[in-house]
Amino acid sequence: MLRLTGRTAVWLFTALNVLLLYWLVAASFKTPLEIFRDPFGLPYTWFARGNPFRNYLYAWNQAEFGHAFMVTVVLVAAASASIVLVSAPAAYALSRFGVRGSGALTGFLAIGMGVPMQTVIIPLFVGLAAFGLTNSLFGLYVLYVALSVPFTVFLLTGFFRTLPEETEEAAALDGASPLRTFVSITLPLARGGMVTALILNAIGLWNETLLAIVFIQENSGFTLARALFTFYGAATYQSEYGGLIAGVAIVVLPMLALYLLLARRIITGLTLGAGK
């Protein structure tokens, strides 16, 4: 009975999300009148006029999404890769070397993940201002990496602990140093967990808005989420709800496509990585 209830809840939640995704995509091709009159119907007007992508073009041009898209891609790619590169050695040390206080340190990282961002936003701003890194993409990059490392270390520590130690012991007997063992033995086995960490960080940073709003003021440094936040006021003032929803779709759909593309690899990497 409990299993049936759980499955029913999961399927209902999945159906709700699919319905919302359908509404988002359909509404992004509609006029404002169609959005309110027939919210779940198929779009018609812009297709009939031969301009089906009118809302997307409007959002792309008015919100300057082109530049913001390139900024976001570079920033998120650099930050996500840096987070994994920094977190993987730290997680390996905590899980393998018996570092003194490693258990307490791992728990401290877990507690740190529960601190609300709103409570530290002012100290972060003061700290970055002291180094002249406000209104700077490099400053935002530093924040993204620093604030994402605790979650990633915690995630990878649990994953490294599931990997077999026999291969590492055999490498040590052959004279391999801990660094060479980590690079040549452990990292290939851990690629599933590292890909998962990379994708989770990329999705989270792609949609991050609060830090971008607080620390970036110039249009040249706007990320997609920051540009969308600015576009919201102009679009609602002009009643361009179709363009606004198209802007949301531009922000949301790339990460959804990335997840669907790599979901199978993530799952198989997690389940088979230790056996290869």
Side-chain angles (χ1 to χ4, degrees):
M1 182 62 183
L2 184 60
R3 178 177 297 180
L4 178 61
T5 303
R7 287 182 177 178
T8 302
V10 169
W11 280 110
L12 287 175
F13 181 75
T14 303
L16 176 62
N17 281 275
V18 171
L19 180 64
L20 291 175
L21 178 61
Y22 162 76
W23 178 86
L24 174 69
V25 175
S28 67
F29 291 96
K30 293 180 179 180
T31 63
L33 183 61
E34 288 179 308
I35 293 173
F36 291 103
R37 177 177 293 178
D38 190 12
F40 292 101
L42 294 174
Y44 173 76
T45 302
W46 294 127
F47 284 87
R49 296 179 183 178
N51 191 17
F53 295 100
R54 183 266 178 193
N55 291 335
Y56 284 90
L57 293 174
Y58 175 84
W60 188 269
N61 294 324
Q62 295 298 318
E64 299 182 1
F65 274 161
H67 178 73
F69 187 88
M70 294 304 300
V71 168
T72 305
V73 168
V74 174
L75 180 62
V76 169
S80 299
S82 299
I83 291 165
V84 174
L85 289 176
V86 170
S87 301
Y92 180 70
L94 290 174
S95 62
R96 284 291 193 266
F97 294 158
V99 178
R100 184 176 181 181
S102 60
L105 181 57
T106 304
F108 181 75
L109 290 173
I111 294 174
M113 292 187 298
V115 177
M117 179 64 65
Q118 293 81 354
T119 62
V120 297
I121 199 72
I122 294 178
L124 288 175
F125 188 88
V126 173
L128 283 188
F131 291 95
L133 293 178
T134 56
N135 197 28
S136 164
L137 286 176
F138 179 73
L140 191 61
Y141 160 82
V142 171
L143 284 179
Y144 281 173
V145 174
L147 295 174
S148 301
V149 162
F151 163 76
T152 310
V153 170
F154 183 77
L155 175 68
L156 292 179
T157 298
F159 183 81
F160 281 130
R161 285 174 178 166
T162 66
L163 298 179
E165 299 184 21
E166 290 78 7
T167 53
E168 299 174 26
E169 294 172 354
L173 291 175
D174 289 339
S177 65
L179 178 60
R180 182 177 180 183
T181 300
F182 172 68
V183 173
S184 302
I185 304 297
T186 306
L187 285 185
L189 293 176
R191 62 182 178 273
M194 295 180 65
V195 168
T196 300
L198 184 70
I199 297 303
L200 291 177
N201 279 296
I203 292 174
L205 296 180
W206 183 276
N207 297 318
E208 196 285 319
T209 306
L210 178 60
L211 294 175
I213 291 174
V214 174
F215 290 94
I216 301 296
Q217 288 81 44
E218 296 182 1
N219 292 358
S220 59
F222 278 6
T223 62
L224 270 178
R226 179 68 173 89
L228 178 63
F229 179 82
T230 303
F231 178 57
Y232 170 79
T236 53
Y237 179 77
Q238 299 174 5
S239 298
E240 282 286 350
Y241 299 109
L244 178 60
I245 296 174
V248 175
I250 291 173
V251 175
V252 171
L253 293 182
M255 284 298 103
L256 177 62
L258 180 65
Y259 176 79
L260 293 177
L261 180 65
L262 297 178
R264 184 179 296 276
R265 178 170 180 174
I266 292 172
I267 295 172
T268 54
L270 285 171
T271 56
L272 301 178
K276 292 184 179 180

